[in-house]
Amino acid sequence: MNDHSDGLLIIHHLHKSYCPDNRETEVLRDVSFRVGQGEIVGVVGPSGCGKSTLLHLVAGFDQDYRGDIAFCGQKITGPAPERGMVFQSPQLFSWLKIKDNIAFGPKRQHMAKENITAQTRIFLERVGMLDYMDYYPEQLSGGMQQRVALARALIMKPKLLLMDEPFSALDYQSRLEMQGLTLKLWEEYKPSILLVTHDIEEALLLADRIIVLSKSPGEIIRELSVNFDRPRDLSLIKSLSFHQLKSQILDQLSVLM
Amino acid sequence: MKKRLRFKLDILGLLLPAVLLAAWCTASYLLRVPGYILPGPGQIALGLADFMTGNSRLSPYSGQFLMHSAASIGRVMEGFLLALCFGLPLGILTGSFLKVKRVFDPLVHLIRMVPGIGWLPIAMVWFGVGHSTAVFLIALAAFFPVYLNTAIGVRQVPGKLIQASRVLGAKGWAVFFYVIIPAAASSILSGMRLGLGISWAYVVLGELTGVSLGLGAVMMNARMLGDTEMIIICMIVIALLGWISDRLLVALIRKLHPGKEVIRHE
C-alpha cells in the first residue's frame, strides 16, 4: 500500500456518513479508486451524490470517515498546499489585490520576497492576468476571478489539484476558455487533477478517466477511460469521436441514474 | 464621471441643513422667538467664536473651548479604548468559538438590556461622581456595539474562504490574522464607529454631575445660569468633535488596512 508508483492518491473502501440531529445519513459507500501521477480523473454524478464530500475528504478538511485515503503513501491529516483546490466560486481574498491573492500561498511558506514577486508574475502571465495584477477581485468578472483562483492554486506546485465544479458558475464562453486554459496549464505543470463536475462534456474534454457515482449514497457505478490523444485543446469538442463518446455515455448514464 | 456624481451628492447633502438654517433664521428674526428659548444663528456664531478665542465679549466661558473639549476628548478616548480592549478580543473569541459564545452571549445580552443611563446611579456609588464614572459609562456603552459587531463579523467569515486559505498553507494564527480579521474588518469597523458615536453621547451624561471641566459640565452649568446660547454651542461642538473623530477613525483604519471592504463600507 505504501508504494505509490501506480497511485498518487489511493482511495480504498471509503465510507462517509454525516450525523445531523443524530440521524445518520450515508453519503459515500465503499468508494475505491486511484489517481495516478499526472492523471486527470473526472468524478461525475447527480447532485447530492457526495462528490463534493469526496473532495473535502481528500483535501483534508474532514478526517471523520471509514476506509483509507492515502496520498503519496501517507494518510491525510489535514489540508496542505501539495493538494491544491479550486472551488466552485473563486473564494478570492477580497481585501487583497490580484497579485497578493496569488502571492498568498508562497508568503505562508516564507519564500524569499524577490522569489515570490517573480513567481507571481509568471503565474499572472500564465493565466493572462498580468494587466490586472493591481486590481481587486470585485473589479473582475467571474471568469477572470476563476483564472486568478487557478493561478493561486498552481503557484504552490501542487502534486494533486482538486477542482470542485470549478467552472459551473461561468457563462458558456468563459467556461470554454477556462477549460482550454486548464488543458494548457496541465500540459505545462502536469499536476494530477481530481475534477468533480456535473458536466459530462467537461469531464470528457479534460479527463483521462471518468468515475460515475450513483445517487446518494454515492457508489461508483461505472469507470470509463477517455482515450483522446494529448495534447488536447478545445477543438476536440467539435470532433465526431467526441460526440460519439458523449452520446454513448449519456445513453448509459440515463439508464444508470 | 465619478467626481461629478460625488459633487452632486454633496449639494444634496447640504440641502437639508440649508432648509434648517432658513427655518432657524425665520424663527429668530421674523417670528422673534425669544433668545432664552432659541438664540439666533448670529448670536450662536458670535458665542462660538468667543468660546474658542475668548476676546469678543464677557462670559464665564470665554476662550475655554480647548480646556473643556480636551477634557471631554480625553474621557471619550479613555472610555472608548477600554471598550475596545474588552470588546474586540471578547468579540473575536465569541465569533470564533461556539463554546465561548454559549458562555458569554446570554449574559452580555442580559446586561445590554439595562440602558446605559440606568448604570449612572450604581456607577456613582462605585466610582463616586466625576471622571471615573464618565469613563465607566462610556466604556460600558461602547462595549456592546464593538463586541456584537466583531462577533458577528468573525462568525460570518465564509467557511470556504478559510478552507481556501488552509489549502494554501495557512495554519492557526496565520488563518486568523490574514483571513478572519481582514474578512471581518468591515463589520468590526462598523462596531467601532457605532461605539465611538455612543461614547460621545455618554461623555455628556457622565459629565452632567460632579466634574467642572468638559462640554457636558458646561452645558449643565449654562442651563442653571439660563444661558441657552451656551447649551446650543456645546451641542454644536460635540456634533463637530464626534464627526471629526469618526472621520479620523475611518482614516486610521483605512491606513492600517487598505482593503476594498472598508472603502465599500462608506
Side-chain angles (χ1 to χ4, degrees), chain B residues 2 6 10 21 33 41 46 63 71 73 78 100 106 110 115 131 135 141 159-160 179 187 189 192 216 220 247:
Chain B
K2 249 183 183 164
R6 191 169 292 169
D10 271 350
L21 189 66
V33 174
L46 283 176
I73 291 171
E78 235 177 285
V100 181
L110 194 65
H131 180 78
V135 171
K160 280 249 153 71
V179 183
S187 181
L189 173 64
M192 286 168 70
M220 220 41 196
R247 295 285 90 190

Side-chain angles (χ1 to χ4, degrees), chain A residues 56 61 79-81 83 85 87 91-95 104-105 108-109 136 138 152 156, chain B residues 160-161 163-170 174 178-179 182-183 257-261 264:
Chain A
H56 275 225
F61 296 139
R83 278 166 282 120
M85 188 146 180
F87 297 83
Q91 302 299 341
L92 298 181
F93 306 117
S94 61
W95 57 92
F104 184 93
R108 301 290 85 77
Q109 308 300 107
Y136 284 96
E138 63 174 13
R152 186 176 68 169
M156 302 307 286
Chain B
K160 280 249 153 71
L161 201 65
Q163 289 181 341
S165 77
R166 292 178 70 204
V167 290
L168 292 168
Y178 298 116
V179 183
H257 182 81
K260 279 269 118 181
E261 296 268 313
R264 195 164 52 194

Side-chain angles (χ1 to χ4, degrees), chain A residues 5-157:
Chain A
S5 55
D6 59 340
L8 182 74
L9 176 73
I10 300 170
I11 295 177
H12 196 62
H13 297 304
L14 175 68
H15 292 260
K16 170 69 187 171
S17 311
Y18 286 117
C19 313
D21 323 316
N22 294 322
R23 262 182 319 168
E24 189 164 304
T25 317
E26 200 178 7
V27 190
L28 292 168
R29 179 181 289 170
D30 200 17
V31 172
S32 301
F33 69 95
R34 286 160 188 244
V35 180
Q37 202 97 48
E39 194 182 19
I40 304 182
V41 175
V43 179
V44 298
S47 51
C49 70
K51 34 190 210 293
S52 288
T53 304
L54 179 65
L55 275 199
H56 275 225
L57 295 178
V58 176
F61 296 139
D62 186 353
Q63 269 107 49
D64 179 26
Y65 56 83
R66 285 190 294 125
D68 292 306
I69 306 177
F71 180 73
C72 297
Q74 307 251 302
K75 193 174 154 51
I76 289 166
T77 55
E82 57 184 8
R83 278 166 282 120
M85 188 146 180
V86 176
F87 297 83
Q88 183 173 10
S89 62
Q91 302 299 341
L92 298 181
F93 306 117
S94 61
W95 57 92
L96 295 179
K97 289 177 178 173
I98 294 311
K99 59 178 180 192
D100 295 321
N101 264 282
I102 294 177
F104 184 93
K107 276 185 184 160
R108 301 290 85 77
Q109 308 300 107
H110 306 290
M111 256 162 74
K113 221 172 183 172
E114 316 82 69
N115 203 350
I116 294 178
T117 316
Q119 286 287 312
T120 303
R121 275 192 83 85
I122 291 173
F123 279 89
L124 277 165
E125 191 266 320
R126 289 287 189 282
V127 298
M129 293 297 292
L130 202 52
D131 294 341
Y132 299 92
M133 61 191 274
D134 286 315
Y135 282 55
Y136 284 96
E138 63 174 13
Q139 295 169 298
L140 305 180
S141 69
M144 287 163 123
Q145 288 190 23
Q146 204 55 294
R147 280 167 185 265
V148 177
L150 194 55
R152 186 176 68 169
L154 284 176
I155 197 172
M156 302 307 286
K157 310 275 166 63

Side-chain angles (χ1 to χ4, degrees), chain B residues 11-70:
Chain B
I11 288 176
L12 277 180
L14 288 175
L15 191 69
L16 224 46
V19 170
L20 214 61
L21 189 66
W24 189 10
C25 290
T26 313
S28 293
Y29 303 131
L30 294 177
L31 304 175
R32 303 202 172 275
V33 174
Y36 62 86
I37 293 177
L38 182 69
Q43 210 181 333
I44 292 288
L46 283 176
L48 186 60
D50 176 60
F51 187 40
M52 285 174 149
T53 60
N55 44 21
S56 53
R57 66 173 131 178
L58 269 174
S59 142
Y61 311 110
S62 290
Q64 294 193 335
F65 166 81
L66 263 184
M67 196 170 73
H68 291 297
S69 297

